[in-house]
Amino acid sequence: MRCDTLWRNARLATMAESHAGLGEVMQGVVASLDGRILYAGDAADALALEADRVIDCEGRWITPGLIDCHTHLVWAGSRSREFELRLAGATYEELARAGGGILATMRATRAASLDDLVSQALPRLDALLAEGATTVEIKSGYGLNLEAELKQLRAARALADRRPVTIRTTFLGAHAVPPEFARDADGYVDLVCRSMIPAVAAAGLADAVDAFCEEVAFSPPQVRRVFRAAEAAGLPVKIHADGVRAMAGAGTVATLLPGAYYFLRDTQPPPVRLLRDHGVPIALATDCNPGSSPLTSLLLTMNMAATLFRLTVEECLLGVTRHGARALGLQDRVGTLEAGKDCDLAVWDVERLGDLVYRIGFNPLHGRAWRGQWIA
Amino acid sequence: MRCDTLWRNARLATMAESHAGLGEVMQGVVASLDGRILYAGDAADALALEADRVIDCEGRWITPGLIDCHTHLVWAGSRSREFELRLAGATYEELARAGGGILATMRATRAASLDDLVSQALPRLDALLAEGATTVEIKSGYGLNLEAELKQLRAARALADRRPVTIRTTFLGAHAVPPEFARDADGYVDLVCRSMIPAVAAAGLADAVDAFCEEVAFSPPQVRRVFRAAEAAGLPVKIHADGVRAMAGAGTVATLLPGAYYFLRDTQPPPVRLLRDHGVPIALATDCNPGSSPLTSLLLTMNMAATLFRLTVEECLLGVTRHGARALGLQDRVGTLEAGKDCDLAVWDVERLGDLVYRIGFNPLHGRAWRGQWIA
């Protein structure tokens, strides 16, 4: 059978649900045709394959391309000065006077052009890709008015034209209350529901709608209104919130964000045992954002999940592949090495898969493929 | 005046003790001659310089090349399986049966050839260099017999022939008691003092002697014997231990190792306030080792020191430059941008120096120079 590219002489971690553990194949091949996986599995079971291009992996490990299923990657401005002032002992008041917090990012994002947003996000995206990411979710939520939210989503979509990567966009208008509505969160929710969600949906700029349900953000009734508006616009929903039993019942994926836990020096780890007991799949993501997780490494995200949350190596690797895909509703397209899925691969210079989780500040990526396109 | 290379159009952080803070120069140049810094400072104050090669830094920041003043970079074997088993809930007994701990690394290091040790250490060294390191200290201490300790130090020295980097070696025979002396630590200390230190000194393989003073390792009287032997052999000493007042009195540098604190989930941070109050200079290092800090990133080390120990941005940057140099007794050669010192530079693609500490899992190195040799 003809194929475009054949990765041979590889060890595979297919991550397929039908296999035990990580679906390890010690003598494996992956064949791509028209951007999809034609075959991934044991070399001995493969049909005769005639490839236009053969890549000898010299025994390296292949995993599915990594998935960062929760980021706020597109923003303008920097919060490093705020970080610096806080370490130097600045009081909350001094920080507020220096103009910190999410509203600082909102102001810079509103003021930025579309091109500025794209060019400021690109180095962050490149850092993720350099470690084998092939799918990245990006939320809006720093515009907090219609025009700026649309601009932020357009910038996220534009990144997909600039780099070989699958981008999924999420409208997060209900991220914070902008100063125009300082004492009228309900008024802002009205705007989100009546004007922003319909406009975002009509422009085809979002794949989903998210809302931030917490004391400092929006109340459950407010979030319910946002979700009804999303449903009316035909968009799936996701939520920044807690509640393990409800998640288990609804078939939801829990996305853990160890970078924010680390950066904010949180001391209350997520209820990992409860998630396990209820069979809730666990995804891991960078949460890349300027305020609580200026992190652009999925490898480090895995190490933090293991070190700080005691996730196993298997849970970590599934969290940035199969379960990350499911968190995005992309389980039929990416996240495992199975025939018919996008041929998104990460090829690693490691002896053991566990090395990807164990090592800290080390990038053993040999190369990656996105929709069959090999980038080494 | 003629120079070999001129880095122009740069912002400098000289880190010089004579300047306040980080010694920032907003319109700076650095000129090298014969591997040394001929001039580093304000472009307006520079004499007329005729350079064989001019590098336009386009406004980028230049810091001294980074210094990792405490690593155990040379070892053989992997401990990622031990890490994996521990996360999967293995008991201490199961781990011991699986052959973990420092003795596993000792066995693999003893069994490895010199070439194996070099080739296994190179990717770790390369990760440090890729983030702007130009000086790396490497300790022995996984051989724990004369032959293997000499081999480990030779491997460390050999790395300097393979990469443009300054390597400082430290003999750490008193790292752990090897199984041959399981119930006779004093007998092992005899071997260290009478046979190993003189042989290491005679071979010229160590720049210093270190000892691990802790309940699980060696007692203060044992360490005192090791240090007397080092002194007799003409080698300076350093110590893995605590005691702020003694350090202040002796003009010692305290090297903090946030990677090990993070990886071991330690909850007792180092006495940063006490160190500040006593004016003890703080150096930061990766402590790169397979058991407690499989970390090969000085950028991440700085972020961890800020996040976990609340060091300021200035303290972090001085910790991997000027104070790192002083910890190695190299304060006259490296660690600041001053005329006469080695022309070791790191050139960074960041808007603010604070970005080097604030961001996580991101490498903005544009290029580095080692003894005037530009590597971009």
Side-chain angles (χ1 to χ4, degrees), chain A residues 80-81 84 262 265 290 294 296 303-304 307 352 355 358 360-361, chain B residues 80-81 84 262 265 290 294 296 303-304 307 352 355 358 360-361:
Chain A
S80 77
R81 192 173 144 72
E84 192 162 347
Y262 161 81
R265 293 181 300 152
T296 43
N303 182 274
M304 287 177 172
T307 301
R352 306 182 64 252
D355 290 342
Y358 159 70
I360 314 174
Chain B
S80 76
R81 191 173 147 70
E84 191 163 348
Y262 161 81
R265 292 181 298 151
T296 44
N303 181 273
M304 286 177 172
T307 301
R352 307 182 64 253
D355 290 343
Y358 160 69
I360 314 173

PDB file of all heavy atoms in Angstrom, chain A residues 80-81 84 262 265 290 294 296 303-304 307 352 355 358 360-361, chain B residues 80-81 84 262 265 290 294 296 303-304 307 352 355 358 360-361:
ATOM      1  N   SER A  80       5.770  41.170  34.101  1.00  0.00           N
ATOM      2  CA  SER A  80       6.982  40.795  34.828  1.00  0.00           C
ATOM      3  C   SER A  80       7.370  41.868  35.846  1.00  0.00           C
ATOM      4  O   SER A  80       7.952  41.569  36.881  1.00  0.00           O
ATOM      5  CB  SER A  80       8.129  40.480  33.876  1.00  0.00           C
ATOM      6  OG  SER A  80       8.716  41.626  33.338  1.00  0.00           O
ATOM      7  N   ARG A  81       7.011  43.127  35.567  1.00  0.00           N
ATOM      8  CA  ARG A  81       7.320  44.174  36.535  1.00  0.00           C
ATOM      9  C   ARG A  81       6.504  43.988  37.817  1.00  0.00           C
ATOM     10  O   ARG A  81       7.008  44.196  38.920  1.00  0.00           O
ATOM     11  CB  ARG A  81       7.025  45.549  35.932  1.00  0.00           C
ATOM     12  CG  ARG A  81       7.581  46.682  36.762  1.00  0.00           C
ATOM     13  CD  ARG A  81       7.418  48.031  36.060  1.00  0.00           C
ATOM     14  NE  ARG A  81       7.132  49.042  37.048  1.00  0.00           N
ATOM     15  CZ  ARG A  81       8.024  49.506  37.922  1.00  0.00           C
ATOM     16  NH1 ARG A  81       9.257  49.055  37.906  1.00  0.00           N
ATOM     17  NH2 ARG A  81       7.684  50.417  38.806  1.00  0.00           N
ATOM     18  N   GLU A  84       8.089  41.323  39.789  1.00  0.00           N
ATOM     19  CA  GLU A  84       9.306  41.843  40.405  1.00  0.00           C
ATOM     20  C   GLU A  84       8.981  42.702  41.627  1.00  0.00           C
ATOM     21  O   GLU A  84       9.625  42.572  42.679  1.00  0.00           O
ATOM     22  CB  GLU A  84      10.047  42.667  39.351  1.00  0.00           C
ATOM     23  CG  GLU A  84      11.445  43.045  39.721  1.00  0.00           C
ATOM     24  CD  GLU A  84      12.267  43.476  38.498  1.00  0.00           C
ATOM     25  OE1 GLU A  84      11.826  43.256  37.348  1.00  0.00           O
ATOM     26  OE2 GLU A  84      13.348  44.029  38.718  1.00  0.00           O
ATOM     27  N   TYR A 262       1.725  25.959  41.264  1.00  0.00           N
ATOM     28  CA  TYR A 262       3.117  26.254  41.614  1.00  0.00           C
ATOM     29  C   TYR A 262       3.346  27.755  41.744  1.00  0.00           C
ATOM     30  O   TYR A 262       3.884  28.236  42.745  1.00  0.00           O
ATOM     31  CB  TYR A 262       4.022  25.658  40.531  1.00  0.00           C
ATOM     32  CG  TYR A 262       5.422  26.234  40.469  1.00  0.00           C
ATOM     33  CD1 TYR A 262       6.420  25.812  41.342  1.00  0.00           C
ATOM     34  CD2 TYR A 262       5.743  27.209  39.523  1.00  0.00           C
ATOM     35  CE1 TYR A 262       7.698  26.346  41.272  1.00  0.00           C
ATOM     36  CE2 TYR A 262       7.023  27.748  39.445  1.00  0.00           C
ATOM     37  CZ  TYR A 262       7.993  27.319  40.323  1.00  0.00           C
ATOM     38  OH  TYR A 262       9.260  27.855  40.262  1.00  0.00           O
ATOM     39  N   ARG A 265       1.745  29.463  44.608  1.00  0.00           N
ATOM     40  CA  ARG A 265       2.083  28.769  45.865  1.00  0.00           C
ATOM     41  C   ARG A 265       0.819  28.309  46.590  1.00  0.00           C
ATOM     42  O   ARG A 265       0.649  28.518  47.797  1.00  0.00           O
ATOM     43  CB  ARG A 265       2.936  29.668  46.763  1.00  0.00           C
ATOM     44  CG  ARG A 265       4.314  29.914  46.137  1.00  0.00           C
ATOM     45  CD  ARG A 265       5.164  30.783  47.024  1.00  0.00           C
ATOM     46  NE  ARG A 265       4.519  32.076  47.228  1.00  0.00           N
ATOM     47  CZ  ARG A 265       4.676  32.830  48.303  1.00  0.00           C
ATOM     48  NH1 ARG A 265       5.454  32.419  49.285  1.00  0.00           N
ATOM     49  NH2 ARG A 265       4.054  33.991  48.400  1.00  0.00           N
ATOM     50  N   PRO A 290      -0.455  35.585  31.830  1.00  0.00           N
ATOM     51  CA  PRO A 290       0.549  36.453  32.448  1.00  0.00           C
ATOM     52  C   PRO A 290       0.415  36.612  33.964  1.00  0.00           C
ATOM     53  O   PRO A 290       1.368  37.009  34.624  1.00  0.00           O
ATOM     54  CB  PRO A 290       0.320  37.801  31.752  1.00  0.00           C
ATOM     55  CG  PRO A 290      -1.111  37.777  31.344  1.00  0.00           C
ATOM     56  CD  PRO A 290      -1.429  36.345  31.017  1.00  0.00           C
ATOM     57  N   PRO A 294       2.832  31.970  33.920  1.00  0.00           N
ATOM     58  CA  PRO A 294       3.588  32.372  32.721  1.00  0.00           C
ATOM     59  C   PRO A 294       4.445  31.211  32.199  1.00  0.00           C
ATOM     60  O   PRO A 294       5.642  31.349  32.004  1.00  0.00           O
ATOM     61  CB  PRO A 294       4.433  33.547  33.214  1.00  0.00           C
ATOM     62  CG  PRO A 294       4.599  33.314  34.684  1.00  0.00           C
ATOM     63  CD  PRO A 294       3.366  32.574  35.150  1.00  0.00           C
ATOM     64  N   THR A 296       5.231  28.031  29.519  1.00  0.00           N
ATOM     65  CA  THR A 296       5.070  27.610  28.124  1.00  0.00           C
ATOM     66  C   THR A 296       5.768  26.278  27.893  1.00  0.00           C
ATOM     67  O   THR A 296       6.466  26.104  26.895  1.00  0.00           O
ATOM     68  CB  THR A 296       5.636  28.679  27.163  1.00  0.00           C
ATOM     69  OG1 THR A 296       6.886  29.139  27.677  1.00  0.00           O
ATOM     70  CG2 THR A 296       4.695  29.844  27.003  1.00  0.00           C
ATOM     71  N   ASN A 303       5.954  17.355  34.747  1.00  0.00           N
ATOM     72  CA  ASN A 303       6.780  17.178  35.939  1.00  0.00           C
ATOM     73  C   ASN A 303       6.109  17.776  37.170  1.00  0.00           C
ATOM     74  O   ASN A 303       6.135  17.194  38.259  1.00  0.00           O
ATOM     75  CB  ASN A 303       8.167  17.777  35.749  1.00  0.00           C
ATOM     76  CG  ASN A 303       9.036  17.552  36.974  1.00  0.00           C
ATOM     77  OD1 ASN A 303       8.997  18.349  37.918  1.00  0.00           O
ATOM     78  ND2 ASN A 303       9.745  16.434  37.026  1.00  0.00           N
ATOM     79  N   MET A 304       5.497  18.942  37.000  1.00  0.00           N
ATOM     80  CA  MET A 304       4.819  19.573  38.141  1.00  0.00           C
ATOM     81  C   MET A 304       3.619  18.740  38.595  1.00  0.00           C
ATOM     82  O   MET A 304       3.348  18.637  39.795  1.00  0.00           O
ATOM     83  CB  MET A 304       4.359  20.977  37.757  1.00  0.00           C
ATOM     84  CG  MET A 304       5.504  21.977  37.655  1.00  0.00           C
ATOM     85  SD  MET A 304       4.878  23.613  37.116  1.00  0.00           S
ATOM     86  CE  MET A 304       6.372  24.607  37.317  1.00  0.00           C
ATOM     87  N   THR A 307       5.237  15.848  40.487  1.00  0.00           N
ATOM     88  CA  THR A 307       5.920  16.270  41.717  1.00  0.00           C
ATOM     89  C   THR A 307       4.925  16.846  42.726  1.00  0.00           C
ATOM     90  O   THR A 307       4.951  16.485  43.902  1.00  0.00           O
ATOM     91  CB  THR A 307       6.998  17.321  41.376  1.00  0.00           C
ATOM     92  OG1 THR A 307       7.927  16.729  40.465  1.00  0.00           O
ATOM     93  CG2 THR A 307       7.734  17.780  42.626  1.00  0.00           C
ATOM     94  N   ARG A 352      13.527   6.062  28.083  1.00  0.00           N
ATOM     95  CA  ARG A 352      12.268   5.611  28.661  1.00  0.00           C
ATOM     96  C   ARG A 352      11.258   6.756  28.559  1.00  0.00           C
ATOM     97  O   ARG A 352      11.611   7.928  28.697  1.00  0.00           O
ATOM     98  CB  ARG A 352      12.446   5.272  30.147  1.00  0.00           C
ATOM     99  CG  ARG A 352      13.567   4.284  30.450  1.00  0.00           C
ATOM    100  CD  ARG A 352      13.637   3.959  31.940  1.00  0.00           C
ATOM    101  NE  ARG A 352      12.413   3.293  32.365  1.00  0.00           N
ATOM    102  CZ  ARG A 352      11.476   3.846  33.120  1.00  0.00           C
ATOM    103  NH1 ARG A 352      11.625   5.073  33.573  1.00  0.00           N
ATOM    104  NH2 ARG A 352      10.393   3.184  33.418  1.00  0.00           N
ATOM    105  N   ASP A 355      11.204   9.360  31.270  1.00  0.00           N
ATOM    106  CA  ASP A 355      12.154  10.481  31.245  1.00  0.00           C
ATOM    107  C   ASP A 355      11.462  11.794  30.882  1.00  0.00           C
ATOM    108  O   ASP A 355      11.911  12.873  31.283  1.00  0.00           O
ATOM    109  CB  ASP A 355      13.263  10.221  30.222  1.00  0.00           C
ATOM    110  CG  ASP A 355      14.207   9.111  30.658  1.00  0.00           C
ATOM    111  OD1 ASP A 355      14.225   8.792  31.862  1.00  0.00           O
ATOM    112  OD2 ASP A 355      14.906   8.559  29.800  1.00  0.00           O
ATOM    113  N   TYR A 358      10.150  12.875  34.293  1.00  0.00           N
ATOM    114  CA  TYR A 358      11.132  12.926  35.379  1.00  0.00           C
ATOM    115  C   TYR A 358      12.101  14.104  35.280  1.00  0.00           C
ATOM    116  O   TYR A 358      12.393  14.789  36.265  1.00  0.00           O
ATOM    117  CB  TYR A 358      11.873  11.595  35.361  1.00  0.00           C
ATOM    118  CG  TYR A 358      13.218  11.507  36.012  1.00  0.00           C
ATOM    119  CD1 TYR A 358      13.348  11.569  37.404  1.00  0.00           C
ATOM    120  CD2 TYR A 358      14.365  11.301  35.247  1.00  0.00           C
ATOM    121  CE1 TYR A 358      14.598  11.425  37.996  1.00  0.00           C
ATOM    122  CE2 TYR A 358      15.606  11.152  35.818  1.00  0.00           C
ATOM    123  CZ  TYR A 358      15.719  11.221  37.198  1.00  0.00           C
ATOM    124  OH  TYR A 358      16.945  11.086  37.769  1.00  0.00           O
ATOM    125  N   ILE A 360      13.741  17.770  34.408  1.00  0.00           N
ATOM    126  CA  ILE A 360      13.225  19.124  34.608  1.00  0.00           C
ATOM    127  C   ILE A 360      14.094  20.114  33.836  1.00  0.00           C
ATOM    128  O   ILE A 360      15.303  20.175  34.040  1.00  0.00           O
ATOM    129  CB  ILE A 360      13.242  19.506  36.104  1.00  0.00           C
ATOM    130  CG1 ILE A 360      12.676  18.381  36.967  1.00  0.00           C
ATOM    131  CG2 ILE A 360      12.469  20.789  36.334  1.00  0.00           C
ATOM    132  CD1 ILE A 360      12.813  18.647  38.457  1.00  0.00           C
ATOM    133  N   GLY A 361      13.450  20.880  32.963  1.00  0.00           N
ATOM    134  CA  GLY A 361      14.207  21.877  32.211  1.00  0.00           C
ATOM    135  C   GLY A 361      15.102  21.224  31.180  1.00  0.00           C
ATOM    136  O   GLY A 361      16.286  21.544  31.072  1.00  0.00           O
TER     137      GLY A 361
ATOM    138  N   SER B  80      14.940   7.342  36.393  1.00  0.00           N
ATOM    139  CA  SER B  80      13.554   7.706  36.075  1.00  0.00           C
ATOM    140  C   SER B  80      12.596   6.569  36.429  1.00  0.00           C
ATOM    141  O   SER B  80      11.441   6.809  36.749  1.00  0.00           O
ATOM    142  CB  SER B  80      13.414   8.135  34.614  1.00  0.00           C
ATOM    143  OG  SER B  80      13.436   7.055  33.736  1.00  0.00           O
ATOM    144  N   ARG B  81      13.084   5.326  36.390  1.00  0.00           N
ATOM    145  CA  ARG B  81      12.208   4.217  36.771  1.00  0.00           C
ATOM    146  C   ARG B  81      11.870   4.277  38.264  1.00  0.00           C
ATOM    147  O   ARG B  81      10.742   4.016  38.681  1.00  0.00           O
ATOM    148  CB  ARG B  81      12.891   2.891  36.441  1.00  0.00           C
ATOM    149  CG  ARG B  81      11.959   1.710  36.566  1.00  0.00           C
ATOM    150  CD  ARG B  81      12.605   0.420  36.069  1.00  0.00           C
ATOM    151  NE  ARG B  81      12.112  -0.700  36.852  1.00  0.00           N
ATOM    152  CZ  ARG B  81      10.868  -1.174  36.780  1.00  0.00           C
ATOM    153  NH1 ARG B  81      10.022  -0.641  35.951  1.00  0.00           N
ATOM    154  NH2 ARG B  81      10.484  -2.173  37.551  1.00  0.00           N
ATOM    155  N   GLU B  84       9.264   6.825  38.706  1.00  0.00           N
ATOM    156  CA  GLU B  84       7.989   6.294  38.222  1.00  0.00           C
ATOM    157  C   GLU B  84       7.376   5.336  39.238  1.00  0.00           C
ATOM    158  O   GLU B  84       6.174   5.408  39.529  1.00  0.00           O
ATOM    159  CB  GLU B  84       8.252   5.584  36.885  1.00  0.00           C
ATOM    160  CG  GLU B  84       7.019   5.221  36.128  1.00  0.00           C
ATOM    161  CD  GLU B  84       7.323   4.912  34.656  1.00  0.00           C
ATOM    162  OE1 GLU B  84       8.443   5.199  34.180  1.00  0.00           O
ATOM    163  OE2 GLU B  84       6.418   4.382  34.000  1.00  0.00           O
ATOM    164  N   TYR B 262      12.176  21.832  45.468  1.00  0.00           N
ATOM    165  CA  TYR B 262      10.967  21.554  44.689  1.00  0.00           C
ATOM    166  C   TYR B 262      10.766  20.052  44.499  1.00  0.00           C
ATOM    167  O   TYR B 262       9.704  19.505  44.781  1.00  0.00           O
ATOM    168  CB  TYR B 262      11.083  22.264  43.337  1.00  0.00           C
ATOM    169  CG  TYR B 262      10.182  21.741  42.246  1.00  0.00           C
ATOM    170  CD1 TYR B 262       8.850  22.134  42.173  1.00  0.00           C
ATOM    171  CD2 TYR B 262      10.656  20.843  41.286  1.00  0.00           C
ATOM    172  CE1 TYR B 262       8.014  21.653  41.169  1.00  0.00           C
ATOM    173  CE2 TYR B 262       9.833  20.358  40.276  1.00  0.00           C
ATOM    174  CZ  TYR B 262       8.511  20.757  40.229  1.00  0.00           C
ATOM    175  OH  TYR B 262       7.690  20.272  39.248  1.00  0.00           O
ATOM    176  N   ARG B 265       9.894  18.090  47.511  1.00  0.00           N
ATOM    177  CA  ARG B 265       8.746  18.680  48.191  1.00  0.00           C
ATOM    178  C   ARG B 265       9.103  19.049  49.632  1.00  0.00           C
ATOM    179  O   ARG B 265       8.385  18.731  50.583  1.00  0.00           O
ATOM    180  CB  ARG B 265       7.541  17.735  48.143  1.00  0.00           C
ATOM    181  CG  ARG B 265       7.016  17.586  46.724  1.00  0.00           C
ATOM    182  CD  ARG B 265       5.811  16.683  46.684  1.00  0.00           C
ATOM    183  NE  ARG B 265       6.182  15.364  47.147  1.00  0.00           N
ATOM    184  CZ  ARG B 265       5.369  14.516  47.753  1.00  0.00           C
ATOM    185  NH1 ARG B 265       4.114  14.867  47.977  1.00  0.00           N
ATOM    186  NH2 ARG B 265       5.789  13.330  48.127  1.00  0.00           N
ATOM    187  N   PRO B 290      20.757  12.905  39.696  1.00  0.00           N
ATOM    188  CA  PRO B 290      19.636  12.029  39.330  1.00  0.00           C
ATOM    189  C   PRO B 290      18.661  11.746  40.474  1.00  0.00           C
ATOM    190  O   PRO B 290      17.526  11.356  40.210  1.00  0.00           O
ATOM    191  CB  PRO B 290      20.333  10.730  38.905  1.00  0.00           C
ATOM    192  CG  PRO B 290      21.628  10.736  39.655  1.00  0.00           C
ATOM    193  CD  PRO B 290      22.036  12.172  39.766  1.00  0.00           C
ATOM    194  N   PRO B 294      16.839  16.460  39.088  1.00  0.00           N
ATOM    195  CA  PRO B 294      17.179  16.172  37.685  1.00  0.00           C
ATOM    196  C   PRO B 294      16.909  17.384  36.795  1.00  0.00           C
ATOM    197  O   PRO B 294      16.195  17.309  35.807  1.00  0.00           O
ATOM    198  CB  PRO B 294      16.279  14.984  37.333  1.00  0.00           C
ATOM    199  CG  PRO B 294      15.116  15.087  38.253  1.00  0.00           C
ATOM    200  CD  PRO B 294      15.611  15.766  39.511  1.00  0.00           C
ATOM    201  N   THR B 296      18.177  20.778  34.621  1.00  0.00           N
ATOM    202  CA  THR B 296      19.266  21.296  33.792  1.00  0.00           C
ATOM    203  C   THR B 296      18.902  22.669  33.232  1.00  0.00           C
ATOM    204  O   THR B 296      19.099  22.939  32.054  1.00  0.00           O
ATOM    205  CB  THR B 296      19.579  20.322  32.630  1.00  0.00           C
ATOM    206  OG1 THR B 296      18.347  19.866  32.054  1.00  0.00           O
ATOM    207  CG2 THR B 296      20.375  19.136  33.096  1.00  0.00           C
ATOM    208  N   ASN B 303      13.582  31.038  38.586  1.00  0.00           N
ATOM    209  CA  ASN B 303      12.143  31.157  38.836  1.00  0.00           C
ATOM    210  C   ASN B 303      11.759  30.440  40.121  1.00  0.00           C
ATOM    211  O   ASN B 303      10.942  30.934  40.908  1.00  0.00           O
ATOM    212  CB  ASN B 303      11.326  30.607  37.661  1.00  0.00           C
ATOM    213  CG  ASN B 303       9.836  30.768  37.919  1.00  0.00           C
ATOM    214  OD1 ASN B 303       9.221  29.910  38.536  1.00  0.00           O
ATOM    215  ND2 ASN B 303       9.279  31.901  37.525  1.00  0.00           N
ATOM    216  N   MET B 304      12.349  29.277  40.353  1.00  0.00           N
ATOM    217  CA  MET B 304      12.042  28.535  41.582  1.00  0.00           C
ATOM    218  C   MET B 304      12.529  29.288  42.817  1.00  0.00           C
ATOM    219  O   MET B 304      11.854  29.286  43.847  1.00  0.00           O
ATOM    220  CB  MET B 304      12.684  27.143  41.526  1.00  0.00           C
ATOM    221  CG  MET B 304      11.973  26.189  40.573  1.00  0.00           C
ATOM    222  SD  MET B 304      12.843  24.594  40.486  1.00  0.00           S
ATOM    223  CE  MET B 304      11.654  23.632  39.514  1.00  0.00           C
ATOM    224  N   THR B 307       9.944  32.073  43.206  1.00  0.00           N
ATOM    225  CA  THR B 307       8.615  31.577  43.545  1.00  0.00           C
ATOM    226  C   THR B 307       8.615  30.886  44.911  1.00  0.00           C
ATOM    227  O   THR B 307       7.736  31.153  45.743  1.00  0.00           O
ATOM    228  CB  THR B 307       8.131  30.588  42.465  1.00  0.00           C
ATOM    229  OG1 THR B 307       8.099  31.278  41.213  1.00  0.00           O
ATOM    230  CG2 THR B 307       6.746  30.063  42.790  1.00  0.00           C
ATOM    231  N   ARG B 352      12.614  43.041  29.392  1.00  0.00           N
ATOM    232  CA  ARG B 352      13.088  43.399  30.733  1.00  0.00           C
ATOM    233  C   ARG B 352      13.902  42.245  31.290  1.00  0.00           C
ATOM    234  O   ARG B 352      13.579  41.075  31.047  1.00  0.00           O
ATOM    235  CB  ARG B 352      11.905  43.652  31.675  1.00  0.00           C
ATOM    236  CG  ARG B 352      10.876  44.657  31.168  1.00  0.00           C
ATOM    237  CD  ARG B 352       9.760  44.877  32.188  1.00  0.00           C
ATOM    238  NE  ARG B 352      10.287  45.461  33.407  1.00  0.00           N
ATOM    239  CZ  ARG B 352      10.432  44.805  34.548  1.00  0.00           C
ATOM    240  NH1 ARG B 352      10.040  43.560  34.663  1.00  0.00           N
ATOM    241  NH2 ARG B 352      10.939  45.403  35.592  1.00  0.00           N
ATOM    242  N   ASP B 355      12.104  39.425  33.020  1.00  0.00           N
ATOM    243  CA  ASP B 355      11.505  38.341  32.241  1.00  0.00           C
ATOM    244  C   ASP B 355      12.286  37.036  32.384  1.00  0.00           C
ATOM    245  O   ASP B 355      11.714  35.953  32.259  1.00  0.00           O
ATOM    246  CB  ASP B 355      11.446  38.713  30.756  1.00  0.00           C
ATOM    247  CG  ASP B 355      10.436  39.819  30.477  1.00  0.00           C
ATOM    248  OD1 ASP B 355       9.570  40.062  31.333  1.00  0.00           O
ATOM    249  OD2 ASP B 355      10.523  40.433  29.399  1.00  0.00           O
ATOM    250  N   TYR B 358      10.814  35.666  35.608  1.00  0.00           N
ATOM    251  CA  TYR B 358       9.352  35.563  35.664  1.00  0.00           C
ATOM    252  C   TYR B 358       8.792  34.431  34.808  1.00  0.00           C
ATOM    253  O   TYR B 358       7.902  33.694  35.223  1.00  0.00           O
ATOM    254  CB  TYR B 358       8.803  36.913  35.216  1.00  0.00           C
ATOM    255  CG  TYR B 358       7.390  37.003  34.731  1.00  0.00           C
ATOM    256  CD1 TYR B 358       6.316  36.836  35.600  1.00  0.00           C
ATOM    257  CD2 TYR B 358       7.128  37.296  33.390  1.00  0.00           C
ATOM    258  CE1 TYR B 358       5.010  36.976  35.129  1.00  0.00           C
ATOM    259  CE2 TYR B 358       5.833  37.437  32.928  1.00  0.00           C
ATOM    260  CZ  TYR B 358       4.779  37.274  33.804  1.00  0.00           C
ATOM    261  OH  TYR B 358       3.500  37.402  33.344  1.00  0.00           O
ATOM    262  N   ILE B 360       8.365  30.894  32.751  1.00  0.00           N
ATOM    263  CA  ILE B 360       8.639  29.516  33.153  1.00  0.00           C
ATOM    264  C   ILE B 360       8.612  28.618  31.917  1.00  0.00           C
ATOM    265  O   ILE B 360       7.617  28.578  31.199  1.00  0.00           O
ATOM    266  CB  ILE B 360       7.578  29.020  34.158  1.00  0.00           C
ATOM    267  CG1 ILE B 360       7.310  30.060  35.245  1.00  0.00           C
ATOM    268  CG2 ILE B 360       7.993  27.712  34.776  1.00  0.00           C
ATOM    269  CD1 ILE B 360       6.159  29.687  36.161  1.00  0.00           C
ATOM    270  N   GLY B 361       9.712  27.891  31.706  1.00  0.00           N
ATOM    271  CA  GLY B 361       9.738  26.990  30.565  1.00  0.00           C
ATOM    272  C   GLY B 361       9.828  27.751  29.255  1.00  0.00           C
ATOM    273  O   GLY B 361       9.077  27.486  28.322  1.00  0.00           O
TER     274      GLY B 361
END
